[in-house]
Amino acid sequence: MLPYRLKEARLKAGLSQQQLGVLAGIDEATASARMNQYERGVHTPDFELVCRLAAVLNTPTSYFYTVEDDLAEIILTYARRKNTDAF
């Protein structure tokens, strides 16, 4: 689930793989290649990096790990409403 959801969230945010990687603290020289490998499922980012990616994407970390698609959408909707209500 993580590769698919990571790519989907990145595209919705309008970021390139390079941009997302750099914003999450990955070295600029390897950011694009590493993000590509994560999105293709070749490698899996550690939990700490997923937390940083989630923060950049304004997405709950649990969204990337939830197996059920409908539950993942509920998590995303809840988090976005909660963030909107805070303002």
Side-chain angles (χ1 to χ4, degrees):
M1 300 296 14
L2 189 135
Y4 168 77
R5 295 225 175 92
L6 183 58
K7 182 176 183 177
E8 182 178 44
R10 177 183 61 78
L11 292 174
K12 283 183 182 178
L15 295 172
S16 68
Q17 291 176 334
Q18 173 82 17
Q19 291 169 319
L20 176 57
V22 170
L23 289 171
I26 299 173
D27 183 78
E28 190 173 347
T30 62
S32 182
R34 284 181 60 188
M35 291 306 303
N36 183 275
Q37 291 176 346
Y38 298 149
E39 288 183 4
R40 289 186 303 127
V42 174
H43 294 289
T44 302
D46 63 23
F47 185 72
E48 180 183 329
L49 179 54
V50 174
C51 290
R52 292 196 317 258
L53 292 166
V56 171
L57 294 168
N58 192 30
T59 303
T61 305
S62 58
Y63 170 77
F64 297 108
Y65 293 104
T66 303
V67 175
E68 299 84 3
D69 289 334
D70 56 344
L71 181 56
E73 287 304 314
I74 291 168
I75 290 168
L76 193 57
T77 300
Y78 173 78
R80 299 252 161 96
R81 282 189 189 154
K82 185 177 176 186
N83 288 341
T84 303
D85 291 343
F87 295 105

